[in-house]
Amino acid sequence: MKPRVAIACSGLGHVRRGNETWVASVADALHAAGTQVTLLGGGDDVRVACPFVRLQNFPRESLLMRAWLTWHQRYLIEQRTFARSLVRWLREHPHDIVHLADPALAWIVQRSARSLGVRVIYKDGLLLGPPWCAKFDFVQVLAPFYLEQAKAEGANTRGWFVLPHLVDAEKFKPDYAARTASRDAFVVRSEEHTSE
């Protein structure tokens, strides 16, 4: 029987950054490959082919929180409120694997993993390294270098694996003409392409 996979990201649906894009892309790819996957996010502005569930949370960018709290405080509140909803959801909808990249969210869910019967995979996209990653049985790092570095530091990397952020190398190839335009500067140019 194929594992039931949940991929959760509190910012998905109301924040646009790399992790939100990555989780949506991976969930859609797994869904297309026949994996039973559910994507969970904190907002409702999500367009994916796989099943999506919006979980209750206090978004970090809400006007009320922005007026009174620092970014770090707002982020932690978003993570904690989303984690509470995610743990409740996992109790009601058992899954075998939950993939998380936000450290606070991952740690809260990890502490409930045994009672939930779920394996937590933590993606170390912030490069918090072996001391933090040791809290998790399964860790995704983004390049072989990080796995080798952890081994060199003596970390137990038995449940670690490498899966990079996938990039369309044709779409995001360097503009060598712009790079060679000045001998004193390195220029990176980006163009937005849409398929609509």
Side-chain angles (χ1 to χ4, degrees):
M1 185 167 140
K2 292 184 179 181
R4 296 160 298 174
V5 178
I7 302 176
C9 175
S10 68
L12 186 63
H14 57 80
V15 175
R16 295 188 191 274
R17 60 179 180 146
N19 193 49
E20 285 75 13
T21 301
W22 188 86
V23 297
S25 299
V26 169
D28 271 347
L30 288 171
H31 177 71
T35 301
Q36 185 179 343
V37 61
T38 303
L39 184 61
L40 301 109
D44 56 8
D45 184 18
V46 179
R47 291 173 219 111
V48 290
C50 68
F52 172 75
V53 175
R54 179 183 183 193
L55 296 178
Q56 292 297 319
N57 68 95
F58 292 118
R60 71 190 92 160
E61 296 304 323
S62 70
L63 293 177
L64 182 62
M65 287 210 300
R66 286 179 66 97
W68 299 100
L69 303 172
T70 67
W71 183 92
H72 183 70
Q73 291 168 325
R74 296 190 325 256
Y75 174 76
L76 287 176
I77 289 171
E78 178 184 283
Q79 295 300 294
R80 288 178 180 151
T81 57
F82 185 83
R84 188 175 321 132
S85 295
L86 177 57
V87 168
R88 186 179 316 119
W89 187 86
L90 287 168
R91 285 194 200 291
E92 296 169 3
H93 305 90
H95 277 64
D96 302 300
I97 297 168
V98 62
H99 185 285
L100 306 159
D102 290 294
L105 174 60
W107 177 234
I108 293 167
V109 176
Q110 176 66 38
R111 291 184 305 184
S112 299
R114 187 173 307 240
S115 69
L116 294 169
V118 68
R119 290 172 287 172
V120 173
I121 297 176
Y122 169 66
K123 179 178 75 168
D124 190 23
L126 295 175
L127 299 179
L128 298 180
W132 176 260
C133 293
K135 300 173 187 294
F136 304 94
D137 294 327
F138 302 97
V139 177
Q140 174 195 348
V141 292
L142 303 179
F145 171 79
Y146 304 123
L147 181 57
E148 294 307 317
Q149 185 179 39
K151 287 178 181 177
E153 292 177 20
N156 177 358
T157 59
R158 189 174 54 108
W160 292 39
F161 60 94
V162 178
L163 181 63
H165 277 188
L166 307 175
V167 176
D168 181 341
E170 285 302 309
K171 182 177 180 180
F172 297 104
K173 63 184 172 188
D175 185 342
Y176 293 104
R179 191 170 93 176
T180 58
S182 169
R183 293 175 187 224
D184 299 325
F186 178 77
V187 178
V188 177
R189 185 177 84 192
S190 174
E191 296 178 19
E192 183 174 329
H193 299 280
T194 61
S195 57
E196 300 177 347

